[in-house]
């Protein structure tokens, strides 16, 4: 592999500028990360973080979250030292302890649970796409427990990754990186100008649109992108499967698919054609609320504008027909021949190895005991990409001890009380544990339920390798530890020290050795990468022509043999969401509105940053979006506090009236708690969207996905 772009910046010692300022190249991680930055340090203090104009990704730009990194780093409310619970669980009384004592307690608890119940009764939890993601998994593997989880596995990204793998042998990404710009961008259940990077960077998408790309947006809300779109399909939440099947119906019926690519490079086209025959746009119109003619227009535009590409988002992954929905949408670029072509949907270069995951350290017996693995086989079974435990099954095991008890839960960067579905059930589950440890940057409502709380480092205090675009990287960057505050540590150090204290046979290597092994194909060490900042290679196209697709058949599997061998429908299908006006008409009499949750804010990352003033000022209160017609009927005015209620509970958020949402739909923000309010609750029950959602069945049969969107609700003005 050639060494990437020549570095103009030199190592940190040589970067010393006049007046004692040092400049480090790094990668911002205030979100999933990936913007190249220059960190200015004066006398050990970070004084400026700015975009690196040389970065091939953000080209010097940064968003407001990234620009608030310094407030985050020096925030007075950060966790500074390890803490030990003094009173009853959840009472909010803490004592400062040393790291040595904290890690001794964690080690003893792991050993005690292992000896009494077996190591699988110790579970590991982590948050979304953090720097330590692979290291948490490898620690679980080193420990010998099959039970780790993160909110992303069944609810976010992993369904897209699994679909990409089983269908295309890789996770395709939009090609913003070559000379040819996508001519058509299909944005589906995603809002990448705010929520990147989730495979892309918001700046890449904005630049792409400036070049005149035709834009199709499929979203129940009129987002900034929807306003710019050539076509906006205002879909009924949770019916994306029906829409995608119908678009394929049009493309196949009108013979505007790529016959040559389909013939040479796909399997199961005839079966797919047969499957979508019954789904004409007139059928889909009734289900999706999108006029049949608009479905035809969108299908035609996507199929006949080349190159076309797909930006898809997490909205597709929040219903119990998650896998089939994601699969249905995924097939569109395939049948139109937009795979691995310039400006299309491309396979990345994989220029870096993943961290050695130690998956081999788990016996087959241990794998088979993973909670939910036998039922949700694409999530936790042999064909799973990152086999993980099923969160509702895990939570249930904490509460009931069935099918076997989970006694200890070690969390590294997850605010589960806010981010998992059905917060009340999560609270009961966590309260049932014998032992809970939480490592975080701040004290959160979830951390308040712990026995031991560990202070985590922010991105400016961490060494890591960042590979972007995610999963299919063609850019590899160094994230540099430029300072360290109080007694905070980087999560990876804790995994290593626990492995050493537990005398594990694996998982005890120095971090730098792991980085160097990952970088080996690039012929560069971590030390050298830090000096260069990043390494990149151009994307090659048509890679499959030489070696085929990395699927069982070597072709694009429209008909998925992986789904089939796991006992699931090998062709995409439509399922009505289980809690909808059509499937639950009785409930809909009491709760007549369709609820969507999520919809990212530019100023927050999930439940993070409510304590960072420049960000909080921009978006001070939780916002529920309501159509003015619905508002008039319910006597709600702009800025009023509004109750939003489902069968599971009620919360309040402030009304924003907008014609950009259907009067039958409301959208609430997720991630809300109020760090300024008194602990241990910090107002977590007031406005938290997951008081409304569910972790009860039905689940996606393959992935175990629970319901975070397309639920039934009602609203009223708070008196
Ligand atoms: N600033 C910021 N960036 C983030 C995050 C963050 O919290 N803040 N989170 C990161 C993470 S982990 C993720 S998963 C991504 C998620 O980012 P996205 O994938 O963009 O997800 P959302 O913003 O939740 O929703 C995207 C759009 O889907 C629409 N939508 C809702 N329900 C439906 C539906 O049923 N069908 C369709 N077609 N559309 C629907 C919403 O109106 C919204 O505009 O963002 C990542 N980036
Ligand atoms: N209703 C509803 N719920 C949702 C969603 C939705 O759209 N609607 N989206 C879902 C999705 S897609 C996701 S991915 C999840 C996200 O769920 P989480 O990953 O739980 O979300 P965060 O709030 O970003 O992160 C949790 C905690 O990690 C801490 N943290 C940040 N960096 C580090 C670190 O480096 N080390 C450690 N130890 N801690 C750190 C933060 O301070 C924060 O308290 O939420 C899900 N929940
Ligand atoms: S988009 Fe993410 S990585 Fe880029 S500046 Fe904003 S927070 Fe940082
Ligand atoms: Mo996510």
């Amino acid at each position: 592999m050639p060494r990437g772009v020549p570095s103009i910046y030199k190592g940190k010692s040589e970067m010393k500028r006049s007046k004692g300022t040092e400049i480090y190249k790094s990668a911002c991680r205030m979100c999933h990360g990936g913007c190249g930055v220059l960190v200015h340090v004066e006398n050990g203090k970070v004084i400026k973080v700015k975009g690196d104009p040389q970065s091939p990704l953000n080209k010097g730009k940064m968003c407001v979250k990234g620009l608030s990194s310094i407030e985050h780093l020096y925030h007075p409310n950060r966790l500074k030292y390890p803490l030990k619970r003094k009173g009853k669980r959840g009472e909010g009384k803490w004592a400062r302890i040393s790291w040595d004592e904290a890690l001794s307690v964690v080690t003893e608890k792991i050993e005690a649970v292992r000896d009494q119940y077996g190591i699988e009764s110790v579970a590991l939890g982590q948050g979304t796409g953090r720097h330590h993601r692979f290291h948490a998994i490898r620690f679980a593997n080193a420990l010998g427990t099959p039970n780790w989880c993160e909110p992303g596995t069944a609810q976010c990204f992993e369904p897209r990754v699994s679909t990409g793998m089983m269908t295309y042998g890789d996770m395709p990404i939009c090609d913003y990186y070559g000379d040819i710009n996508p001519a058509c961008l299909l944005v589906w259940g995603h809002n990448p100008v705010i929520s990147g990077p989730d495979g892309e960077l918001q700046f890449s998408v904005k630049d792409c649109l400036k070049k005149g790309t035709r834009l199709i947006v499929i979203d129940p809300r009129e987002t900034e992108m929807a306003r710019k779109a050539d076509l906006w399909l205002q879909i009924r939440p949770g019916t994306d499967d029906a829409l995608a099947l119908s678009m394929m119906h049009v493309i196949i019926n009108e013979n505007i698919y790529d016959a040559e690519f389909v013939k040479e490079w796909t399997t199961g086209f005839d079966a797919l054609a047969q499957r979508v025959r019954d789904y004409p746009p007139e059928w889909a119109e009734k289900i999706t609320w999108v006029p049949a003619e608009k479905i035809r227009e969108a299908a035609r535009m996507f199929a006949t504008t080349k190159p076309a590409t797909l930006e898809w988002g997490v909205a597709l992954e929040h219903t119990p027909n998650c896998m089939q929905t994601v699969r249905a949408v995924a097939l569109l670029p395939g049948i139109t021949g937009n795979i691995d072509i310039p400006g299309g949907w491309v396979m990345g270069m994989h220029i870096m190895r993943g961290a050695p995951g130690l998956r081999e350290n788990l016996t087959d017996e241990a794998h088979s005991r993973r909670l939910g693995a036998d039922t949700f086989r694409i999530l936790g079974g042999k064909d799973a990409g990152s086999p993980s435990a099923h969160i509702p099954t895990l939570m249930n095991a904490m509460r009931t001890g069935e099918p076997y008890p989970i006694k200890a839960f070690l969390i590294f960067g997850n605010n589960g009380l806010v981010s998992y579905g059905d917060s009340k059930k999560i609270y009961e589950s966590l309260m049932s544990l014998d032992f809970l440890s939480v490592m975080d940057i701040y004290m959160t409502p979830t951390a308040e339920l712990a026995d031991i709380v560990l202070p985590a480092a922010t991105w400016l205090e961490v060494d890591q390798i960042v590979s972007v675009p995610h999963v299919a990287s063609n850019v590899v960057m160094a994230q540099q530890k430029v300072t360290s505050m109080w007694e905070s540590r980087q999560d990876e150090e804790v995994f290593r020290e626990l492995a050493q204290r537990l005398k594990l046979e694996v998982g005890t290597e120095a971090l730098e050795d792991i980085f160097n092994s990952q970088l080996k194909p690039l012929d560069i060490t971590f030390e050298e990468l830090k000096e260069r900042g990043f390494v990149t290679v151009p994307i090659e196209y048509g890679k499959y022509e030489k070696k085929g697709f990395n699927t069982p058949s070597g072709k694009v599997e429209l008909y998925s043999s992986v789904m089939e061998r796991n006992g699931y429908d090998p062709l995409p299908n439509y399922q009505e969401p289980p809690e909808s006006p059509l499937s639950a008409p009785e409930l809909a009499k009491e709760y007549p509105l369709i609820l969507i949750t999520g919809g990212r804010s530019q100023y927050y990352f999930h439940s993070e940053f409510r304590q960072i003033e420049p960000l909080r000022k921009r978006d001070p209160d939780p916002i529920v979006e309501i159509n003015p017609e619905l508002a008039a009927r319910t006597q709600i005015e702009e800025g009023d506090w509004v109750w939003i209620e489902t069968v599971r509970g009620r919360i309040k958020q402030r009304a924003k009236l907008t014609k950009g949402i259907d009067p039958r739909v409301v959208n609430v923000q997720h991630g809300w708690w109020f760090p300024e309010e008194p602990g241990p609750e910090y107002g977590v029950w007031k406005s938290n969207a997951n008081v409304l959602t569910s972790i009860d069945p039905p689940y996606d049969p393959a992935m175990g996905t629970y319901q975070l969107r397309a639920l039934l609700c009602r609203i009223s003005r708070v008196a």
Side-chain angles (χ1 to χ4, degrees), residues 574-588:
Y574 152 72
Q575 295 278 323
E576 181 60 23
E579 199 179 294
S580 86
L582 302 191
S583 57
E586 278 308 306
L587 190 69

Side-chain angles (χ1 to χ4, degrees), residues 124-130 132 149-152 391 394-395 398 409-421 426 430 436-448 450 456 491 606-608 673 690 706:
L124 245 89
Q126 58 168 315
T128 178
R130 302 289 172 197
H132 57 275
C149 67
E150 69 152 270
I391 291 168
L394 186 80
M395 293 295 146
M398 290 177 195
F409 193 31
L410 319 177
I411 295 179
F412 295 87
N414 162 253
N415 194 359
L417 208 49
V418 184
S419 55
Y420 292 146
I426 303 301
L430 299 181
L436 174 66
S437 70
V438 176
M439 182 150 173
D440 205 300
I441 297 167
Y442 296 94
M443 183 57 97
T444 66
T446 307
E448 284 281 5
D491 300 74
H606 299 288
S607 74
E608 284 190 83
W673 60 292
N690 285 321
Y706 53 81

